[in-house]
């Protein structure tokens, strides 16, 4: 298995896991871009949002992200959810994930 996120999910690689259930997991980004930077993803290997078939799963991942934002204390202040998909987005890890960013003023998208 050469997917780093699959290896974290299986326990073969370390990760600072903050949430998991049967189908989803969330852990802190190793290179945080904000005081709160958590990655929320399915445990099954879906390469990108462009390859999703179960849109209910996407809604459940967003629900987890919203709950984690509250738990992290950024729910009221505001936060950003980001999904990169494909080369020009800068997606580095081809395992669908939502970035939860918060805890500082986030710049305009560009
Ligand atoms: P993306 O560019 O959307 O694919 O985002 C990939 C993210 O995964 C980046 O923010 C990386 O810092 C993060 N990342 C890469 N390897 C690890 C790892 N082993 N543990 C936690 N986060 C990671």
């Amino acid at each position: 298995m050469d997917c780093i996120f699959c290896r974290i999910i299986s326990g073969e690689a370390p990760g600072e896991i903050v949430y998991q259930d049967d189908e989803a997991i969330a852990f802190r980004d190793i290179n945080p871009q904000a005081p709160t930077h958590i990655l929320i993803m399915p445990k099954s290997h879906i390469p990108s949002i462009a390859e999703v078939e179960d849109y209910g799963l996407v809604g459940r991942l967003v629900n987890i992200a919203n709950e984690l934002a509250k738990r992290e204390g950024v729910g009221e202040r505001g936060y950003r959810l980001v999904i990169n998909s494909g080369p020009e987005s800068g997606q580095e890890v081809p395992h669908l994930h939502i970035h939860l960013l918060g805890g500082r003023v986030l710049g305009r998208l560009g």
Side-chain angles (χ1 to χ4, degrees), residues 4-5 8 28-31 84 90-93 97 99:
I4 180 60
F5 289 173
I8 292 171
R28 293 194 191 277
D29 197 291
I30 203 169
N31 182 23
N84 292 317
Q91 183 182 5
E92 287 173 15
V93 180
H97 52 283
H99 295 256

